[in-house]
Amino acid sequence: MALAVTRFFGIPVPSADPLFLGLVGLHVAMGLLAVICGAIAMLSRKGPGRHFNFGTVYFWMLFGLFVTMSALSFMQWAEDYPLFILGALSFAAACFGRTAIRRRWPRWHLAGMAGSYILMLTAFYVDNGKNLPLWRELPQIAFWILPGAVGLPIATYYLIRLPKFRIGHSG
């Protein structure tokens, strides 16, 4: 039996089920917001204000991504369980990063949030890389490796440069 395919912004979605497609639409919207807000938080001066506000929106959009991704994965488990694992790890890393900053562990906060962003992008490319210009020319393994290969050295650079936290210990 052939699987129905619907095109969503030019990307094939392996379903014609209205519930599945509605979840995909919500998932895409939250994913775009998470990517944008996460990038703004990363590039903003750390502390109250822009970094905190955009970081909070990033966290809650990532939570929404986790919820919709879980539902989508369970609906097509055989194909999507790796995406569930990546999404669960991404959200867990963000939860860890959020807890770390509340405990005044800025290095662990940076590591958790950077890890969550890298894992979120990895899940996106694993699922969609084969349909994207330039990315479709790469082997499947690149979708798993490239986000980390780019993101980890950047995160490491900033972890090394992060000044000691004045209140408490540096974590």
Side-chain angles (χ1 to χ4, degrees):
M1 181 160 101
L3 191 61
V5 174
T6 303
R7 291 217 168 261
F8 199 80
F9 295 109
I11 295 177
V13 177
S15 180
D17 176 22
L19 174 61
F20 189 87
L21 296 175
L23 283 171
V24 168
L26 184 59
H27 185 75
V28 168
M30 287 187 291
L32 287 170
L33 276 171
V35 167
I36 291 165
C37 290
I40 292 170
M42 279 186 269
L43 298 171
S44 296
R45 186 169 181 256
K46 307 310 174 232
R50 184 179 296 214
H51 175 76
F52 176 82
N53 294 335
F54 280 97
T56 298
V57 174
Y58 167 75
F59 178 83
W60 288 110
M61 288 301 104
L62 193 63
F63 172 73
L65 280 175
F66 175 69
V67 170
T68 56
M69 170 278 309
S70 296
L72 292 167
S73 294
F74 293 147
M75 293 170 88
Q76 297 187 354
W77 185 254
E79 299 86 14
D80 290 345
Y81 75 90
L83 300 174
F84 175 80
I85 293 168
L86 287 169
L89 290 172
S90 178
F91 186 61
C95 288
F96 176 77
R98 190 173 164 119
T99 299
I101 202 60
R102 290 178 175 172
R103 293 188 178 183
R104 300 185 184 266
W105 301 339
R107 282 183 171 72
W108 288 113
H109 169 70
L110 192 158
M113 299 313 271
S116 76
Y117 200 83
I118 291 166
L119 287 162
M120 176 185 65
L121 291 178
T122 301
F124 172 78
Y125 289 119
V126 165
D127 193 33
N128 300 295
K130 62 190 172 290
N131 301 307
L132 300 173
L134 297 167
W135 283 86
R136 70 175 139 236
E137 307 301 323
L138 299 173
Q140 181 74 26
I141 191 73
F143 307 149
W144 288 90
I145 294 173
L146 281 177
V150 172
L152 288 174
I154 294 169
T156 301
Y157 172 80
Y158 283 101
L159 280 168
I160 291 167
R161 289 191 63 233
L162 191 68
K164 296 280 184 200
F165 203 51
R166 292 182 191 258
I167 302 171
H169 57 280
S170 65

